[in-house]
Amino acid sequence: MKKIKLNRDYLITYGMVILFYIIMTILKGTGNLTSLFSGLLVPICVYSILAVSLNLTVGILGELSLGHAGFMCVGAFSSAFFSMCMKDVITNSFVRFLIALLISAFVAAFFGIIIGIPVLRLRGDYLAIVTLAFGEIIKNIVNILYVGRDSDGMHISIKDSISLGLKDDGKVIINGAQGITGTPHDSNFTIGIILLLITLFVVLNFMHSRSGRAVMAIRDNRIAAESIGINISKYKLMAFSISAALAGIAGCLYAHNLSTLNALPKNFGYNMSIMILVYVVLGGIGNIRGSIIAATILTVLPELLRGFSDYRMLIYSVVLIALMLFNASPGAIEFKEKYSIKRLLSKKTKTKEVQ
Amino acid sequence: MALLDVNNLGISFGGLRAVDNFEVHIQKGELYGLIGPNGAGKTTVFNMLTGVYKPTDGIIKLDDKNITGMKTTQINQEGIARTFQNIRLFTKLSVLDNVKAGLHNDYAYSTIAGIFRLPKYYRTEKAMDEKAMELLSVFDLDKEAKLSAGNLPYGKQRKLEIARALATNPKLLLLDEPAAGMNPNETKELMDTIQLIRKKFDMTILLIEHDMKLVSGICERLTVLNFGQVLAQGKTADVLNDPEVIKAYLGE
């Protein structure tokens, strides 16, 4: 019979991330990393955080969210907007980034709560439909939003940058479809890894606490959870807003890694939301470590396949299907159980005891 | 004064009167049976008592407090816990976590304390573990504590569901066909378990059952429901010999 995973199990997850960081830092230091690949390091962190946070909604809460890129978008723009405004006021980039992070988390969580309050009360696939719409709406609103600042204060328009009516000393911060240009480059790989570890810390500890147990009870059987006095709406909303806040943090990391931030279908659209869902499904629903591995592989893969030029996406999809088949095949499951890290570790300790 | 006072309870689904003029008065510490042919409305009564359905009319009083129309969650906090006809466990959680989920309201700490592992987290979790293991050992499930609940054999799943309901520290326990799908041996064992929890936890129990042997073996009083109406009520032996009841079960 299958035993429930022990808490010790997630030390392996932390270890894996730290090991990845050390190897990448060494490779970078010795110059063995191509510039293409080192440019992928922060995106790997961004997508891993997104995958882990979506796994909280899909795997732990058991609800389908198709607008995770929307929360990322909200977090990215709110934090980039803050950093642009405060560029000259707060010169310490670490402090500025820290405040930007908190803002992105709060704004994304706020949107999560606004969406969650009406929708999480419903049953079925309503959350998927509403979050899908939310992602698209946010992307389109950001694309027509013009915000500028001059000595009089903020000016907002949804027409164009001229109608902002800025004075001579004014500056356009969000320029519609061109987005935000000149965001300070405050994030790097180390910060990304730290944020990923924080995300893991929050999600894993949440899972193994009273609230996480309540959330998983709701996932397994809503009616039974209600019958033992668990407040369904409260815990669903809690898990969903934490998930949204973490996606906002990923957005902040993303925004501060690029000098130009604009909302395209490619980075904040429907495709991105589906991509994050693919990371979660491929890594295993409810499997946090799997999400990180899948996000890493699928972020690196398109770049590795660049040599195939036109056939790139074709090969990418074939690899994706092959990986899914492999993951679900009985042979692979048996192999994984036989050679899992946990099993190997416990074997070692056993042989030690014998000696 | 009775622990559970139900008067004039009724519910309609559209034009269908599923339960009409139902009443029951259960004393503290009593083991009460609710029987009736299929479709008589027994589970509907349970669903009204636990707030799953809102009764169209009537009053439900627990310990002299009106709980009619409250939400399921509130009613559980007031002191009614239940099991289900078709077992509803948290199948992917461990056996221990199922019971700990039942302790949710009595052993509380904030989400912040949970995420940041404050001392309160360790203190409360430890107390929860102890309490949960104590409950599991009553049901002889302590060895399976680490298994996932979905992997338990059928009889043990039934027991676990009762343990989870008891974990919420109820005044009244509702058991919906606890012996459904059990063989005679398992039923016998279940009878012993029900007697045991009644004594050990000083529990008041209301149970729905089809198994006449179980009902006549342990219930003190019965209510017979037929087509949503109370057919007979009273001491078990008297009710089971009532010609009306026999007619309802066996036909004329």
Side-chain angles (χ1 to χ4, degrees):
Chain A
M1 269 186 240
K2 209 178 107 194
K3 290 227 168 166
I4 293 289
K5 282 180 186 173
L6 292 169
N7 284 12
R8 187 171 45 121
D9 190 43
Y10 60 72
L11 287 178
I12 299 172
T13 314
Y14 292 128
M16 187 187 78
V17 174
I18 293 168
L19 194 69
F20 176 74
Y21 174 68
I22 293 170
I23 292 172
M24 286 303 144
T25 316
I26 292 171
L27 281 178
K28 214 173 164 186
T30 53
N32 280 322
L33 219 54
T34 62
S35 64
L36 187 75
F37 197 79
S38 61
L40 281 178
L41 291 176
V42 177
I44 285 175
C45 296
V46 171
Y47 297 130
S48 295
I49 294 172
L50 283 169
V52 171
S53 73
L54 184 62
N55 213 336
L56 182 60
T57 303
V58 175
I60 312 302
L61 178 61
E63 299 278 355
L64 190 56
S65 165
L66 292 179
H68 224 55
F71 294 117
M72 181 194 176
C73 181
V74 168
F77 274 90
S78 60
S79 61
F81 180 72
F82 169 80
S83 292
M84 287 295 288
C85 292
M86 293 293 154
K87 215 152 118 183
D88 307 320
V89 183
I90 308 171
T91 44
N92 185 334
S93 71
F94 178 74
V95 175
R96 189 174 57 212
F97 186 68
L98 205 66
I99 301 172
L101 264 184
L102 289 176
I103 286 176
S104 65
F106 274 114
V107 173
F110 172 75
F111 277 95
I113 290 170
I114 293 233
I115 292 179
I117 285 174
V119 177
L120 288 170
R121 285 166 184 274
L122 302 169
R123 276 164 245 166
D125 298 325
Y126 295 99
L127 188 68
I129 297 164
V130 175
T131 48
L132 175 64
F134 164 75
E136 292 302 301
I137 290 169
I138 284 293
K139 192 192 75 200
N140 289 323
I141 286 180
V142 166
N143 266 328
I144 56 155
L145 191 67
Y146 295 85
V147 180
R149 191 176 63 160
D150 59 11
S151 48
D152 287 348
M154 293 288 175
H155 296 263
I156 300 173
S157 163
I158 52 167
K159 220 167 124 206
D160 51 35
S161 56
I162 298 150
S163 57
L164 285 172
L166 292 176
K167 286 185 183 165
D168 291 342
D169 62 341
K171 206 176 75 180
V172 180
I173 298 175
I174 302 179
N175 191 9
Q178 269 129 46
I180 300 178
T181 319
T183 323
H185 205 291
D186 285 342
S187 67
N188 55 38
F189 182 46
T190 311
I191 290 177
I193 287 289
I194 291 170
L195 288 178
L196 177 56
L197 287 173
I198 291 174
T199 306
L200 281 174
F201 179 82
V202 170
V203 172
L204 291 173
N205 281 357
F206 179 77
M207 265 172 84
H208 294 96
S209 74
R210 169 176 168 267
S211 312
R213 197 157 42 229
V215 171
M216 288 191 278
I218 294 166
R219 171 198 68 190
D220 279 0
N221 203 313
R222 199 185 56 85
I223 293 171
E226 234 172 352
S227 85
I228 56 168
I230 290 173
N231 186 340
I232 307 277
S233 308
K234 177 182 160 189
Y235 284 100
K236 273 179 146 182
L237 195 60
M238 187 187 283
F240 188 64
S241 52
I242 290 176
S243 169
L246 294 172
I249 285 177
C252 178
L253 182 63
Y254 179 85
H256 290 78
N257 186 46
L258 300 168
S259 44
T260 309
L261 177 71
N262 44 11
L264 301 169
K266 194 182 64 156
N267 54 5
F268 294 131
Y270 173 66
N271 286 345
M272 191 64 232
S273 295
I274 294 294
M275 205 59 229
I276 306 166
L277 191 62
V278 169
Y279 301 150
V280 172
V281 173
L282 191 67
I285 290 172
N287 183 347
I288 303 294
R289 201 189 315 151
S291 298
I292 299 176
I293 297 172
T296 309
I297 292 175
L298 292 186
T299 310
V300 175
L301 197 60
E303 301 302 326
L304 288 181
L305 294 175
R306 227 166 243 288
F308 296 95
S309 61
D310 283 353
Y311 301 105
R312 185 163 73 112
M313 288 325 275
L314 185 69
I315 294 170
Y316 179 79
S317 50
V318 170
V319 171
L320 203 61
I321 293 168
L323 274 173
M324 293 222 181
L325 287 175
F326 173 77
N327 249 356
S329 73
I333 291 167
E334 200 180 306
F335 178 83
K336 270 190 280 182
E337 265 168 25
K338 214 168 167 183
Y339 296 103
S340 76
I341 303 171
K342 201 170 64 176
R343 182 84 187 269
L344 290 176
L345 283 177
S346 63
K347 234 183 215 169
K348 238 180 223 169
T349 47
K350 257 180 209 162
T351 43
K352 260 182 205 161
E353 274 164 23
V354 174
Q355 285 165 354
Chain B
M1 189 202 70
L3 178 72
L4 182 74
D5 257 317
V6 179
N7 280 309
N8 190 30
L9 192 70
I11 189 169
S12 304
F13 298 108
L16 177 78
R17 191 77 179 160
V19 174
D20 189 36
N21 204 8
F22 176 84
E23 65 172 277
V24 74
H25 307 278
I26 301 175
Q27 304 299 322
K28 199 174 174 342
E30 203 171 13
L31 212 170
Y32 201 99
L34 178 61
I35 64 171
N38 284 330
K42 306 182 294 288
T43 301
T44 309
V45 168
F46 264 33
N47 282 339
M48 283 192 282
L49 291 182
T50 54
V52 178
Y53 297 150
K54 267 208 177 94
T56 322
D57 35 26
I59 290 174
I60 306 164
K61 274 184 178 174
L62 182 74
D63 239 355
D64 219 20
K65 186 175 177 188
N66 190 350
I67 58 165
T68 326
M70 278 189 184
K71 285 190 184 141
T72 310
T73 312
Q74 284 173 301
I75 287 179
N76 176 263
Q77 282 162 18
E78 291 295 332
I80 297 183
R82 71 174 291 184
T83 65
F84 297 87
Q85 193 173 348
N86 43 346
I87 303 176
R88 289 178 183 275
L89 286 173
F90 308 132
T91 44
K92 285 182 202 139
L93 296 186
S94 72
V95 170
L96 184 67
D97 276 346
N98 266 270
V99 179
K100 279 166 87 176
L103 296 169
H104 183 82
N105 285 321
D106 285 354
Y107 293 73
Y109 57 84
S110 68
T111 309
I112 301 292
I115 289 178
F116 294 104
R117 298 282 139 108
L118 302 181
K120 184 144 195 223
Y121 165 84
Y122 291 103
R123 218 166 40 230
T124 319
E125 283 287 314
K126 193 165 168 264
M128 271 175 140
D129 277 338
E130 280 165 9
K131 177 75 187 167
M133 285 311 281
E134 190 187 312
L135 265 168
L136 284 176
S137 62
V138 172
F139 291 89
D140 205 17
L141 284 166
D142 44 343
K143 284 180 204 71
E144 284 94 346
K146 289 265 189 279
L147 289 177
S148 62
N151 284 338
L152 284 181
Y154 186 81
K156 291 195 169 176
Q157 291 199 2
R158 284 254 172 237
K159 282 183 177 179
L160 177 58
E161 214 187 13
I162 299 175
R164 185 184 65 191
L166 282 174
T168 64
N169 196 18
K171 294 175 190 157
L172 174 70
L173 182 63
L174 308 182
L175 302 175
D176 196 345
E177 294 204 29
M182 284 187 168
N183 63 34
N185 276 337
E186 285 174 326
T187 307
K188 176 79 186 47
E189 207 190 314
L190 182 80
M191 280 169 71
D192 294 341
T193 314
I194 293 175
Q195 295 282 24
L196 178 77
I197 52 176
R198 187 182 167 201
K199 271 196 209 106
K200 197 171 161 79
F201 300 98
D202 196 19
M203 191 57 61
T204 315
I205 299 170
L206 169 61
L207 67 88
I208 291 179
E209 194 44 75
H210 269 309
D211 194 314
M212 280 303 158
K213 217 168 138 196
L214 190 141
V215 171
S216 56
I218 60 174
C219 291
E220 284 143 8
R221 288 199 299 151
L222 290 180
T223 289
V224 185
L225 211 56
N226 195 21
F227 295 115
Q229 308 238 339
V230 176
L231 192 66
Q233 208 159 27
K235 289 235 160 60
T236 302
D238 300 343
V239 170
L240 290 180
N241 290 325
D242 190 318
E244 284 289 318
V245 175
I246 295 168
K247 205 172 97 185
Y249 265 91
L250 302 174
E252 285 182 71

